[in-house]
Amino acid sequence: MDTNKASAEAQGNILGNIAHIQHLIAEDAAFFGREAKSVQLLAVTKTVSVSAIMEAIKAGQRDFGENYVQEGVEKVQALAAACANVTPPLVWHMIGPVQSNKTRAVAEHFDWLHTLSRSKIAQRLDAQRPAHLPPLQVLLQVNVDAADSKSGLPADEAAVRDLAVLVHGLPHLRLRGLMAMPNPSEDETELLAHYRRAAHLLATLQQEPALAGAQLDTLSMGMSADRRLAIAAGSTLVRVGSAIFGRRPG
Ligand SMILES: *Cc1c(COP(=O)(O)O)cnc(C)c1O
């Protein structure tokens, strides 16, 4: 697949890789009858150095995703100092699981959280979001392939609706949609069905009277290897790491 090749060649040509991925995203979108700008690129920077992130910023990339709270906060702070005048500004997404003892750091330093799945975490983030910042943009993570090992809500309409309504009622959080990360699989039919399940759940929320007025416009789905299937199913934000920055150590 093209993405494996991209990841092997990624090291050292971040600008070229971003242009290439943007091109592939636009191609996929067009193939499935969607507008190119309806699918955004989130650059995943776990284990990636600040200088490599600077390269991506020079290439025009603005949305970045981190998995580990402490590593993420260090980079947010380092880049806030180095990129204070960059326009449009950087947008930081927490895409890894968040335990209760890390909610304050997320509330204080990030713009988005993709992995909300518990009401207790939602309430802590709402209470801890600083008043001078806009609301934290939130996606609910749904466990679409029902993997036991996974965090995320069961992909069940009632479970997703209940947490969505709770988040919608919190003034310092803004519910924007859903995130899904099925386990890698060779079975494309099965993967596509998982991504369609997430899209269906978002459509259900969009019809929910208790969520009237919510801006439910985001489906965070797809990575370097399964980007195309996720776009076929309606992804609006693909999370790509290795195809931009090279294979991670370990
Ligand atoms: C690491 C990671 C990605 C990116 O994976 P790649 O295979 O490097 O593109 C996307 N989403 C999440 C949640 C991740 O942890």
Side-chain angles (χ1 to χ4, degrees):
M1 213 147 90
D2 59 345
T3 46
N4 294 334
K5 188 157 155 270
S7 107
E9 292 173 354
Q11 211 84 51
N13 184 15
I14 290 167
L15 192 143
N17 294 335
I18 288 177
H20 181 60
I21 302 287
Q22 292 283 20
H23 175 75
L24 294 177
I25 289 173
E27 256 181 13
D28 294 340
F31 185 82
F32 296 113
R34 304 182 51 193
E35 285 193 42
K37 64 177 179 348
S38 70
V39 188
Q40 282 193 306
L41 174 61
L42 174 60
V44 176
T45 48
K46 60 181 176 232
T47 78
V48 171
S49 69
V50 167
S51 64
I53 299 173
M54 293 284 284
E55 290 288 301
I57 294 166
K58 281 188 208 140
Q61 181 66 31
R62 291 295 182 270
D63 286 83
F64 295 97
E66 284 284 335
N67 285 67
Y68 305 104
V69 175
Q70 174 147 1
E71 179 189 341
V73 168
E74 283 167 17
K75 291 181 199 166
V76 170
Q77 289 178 324
L79 284 149
C83 301
N85 298 319
V86 165
T87 50
L90 305 186
V91 180
W92 288 98
H93 302 244
M94 173 46 59
I95 62 174
V98 176
Q99 308 300 328
S100 342
N101 63 348
K102 297 283 165 58
T103 52
R104 182 175 297 280
V106 171
E108 290 180 350
H109 296 284
F110 283 84
D111 303 295
W112 286 72
L113 171 65
H114 289 220
T115 54
L116 191 66
S117 63
R118 291 162 57 203
S119 56
K120 181 186 164 195
I121 299 289
Q123 276 151 345
R124 288 178 65 92
L125 290 165
D126 182 60
Q128 294 167 341
R129 183 70 170 171
H132 69 277
L133 294 179
L136 182 67
Q137 311 293 305
V138 167
L139 304 177
L140 307 186
Q141 183 178 358
V142 286
N143 184 357
V144 281
D145 58 352
D148 295 340
S149 57
K150 280 276 178 60
S151 39
L153 287 162
D156 164 89
E157 284 178 20
V160 173
R161 177 199 173 277
D162 288 352
L163 186 59
V165 171
L166 182 136
V167 171
H168 186 54
L170 297 173
H172 304 110
L173 303 188
R174 184 152 298 152
L175 182 67
R176 295 295 297 274
L178 301 176
M179 180 271 220
M181 189 170 61
N183 282 328
S185 167
E186 298 288 303
D187 185 342
E188 299 204 336
T189 310
E190 185 187 51
L191 264 181
L192 185 62
H194 292 324
Y195 282 133
R196 288 205 169 124
R197 178 79 191 144
H200 169 79
L201 286 165
L202 182 66
T204 306
L205 292 182
Q206 287 165 341
Q207 302 300 316
E208 169 58 50
L211 298 172
Q215 188 187 345
L216 296 169
D217 56 4
T218 305
L219 265 180
S220 165
M221 333 194 275
M223 310 198 282
S224 294
D226 63 359
R227 172 202 79 243
R228 198 159 195 274
L229 293 170
I231 291 172
S235 172
T236 68
L237 191 64
V238 292
R239 307 180 308 267
V240 176
S242 51
I244 297 174
F245 298 106
R247 253 190 262 281
R248 287 177 290 276

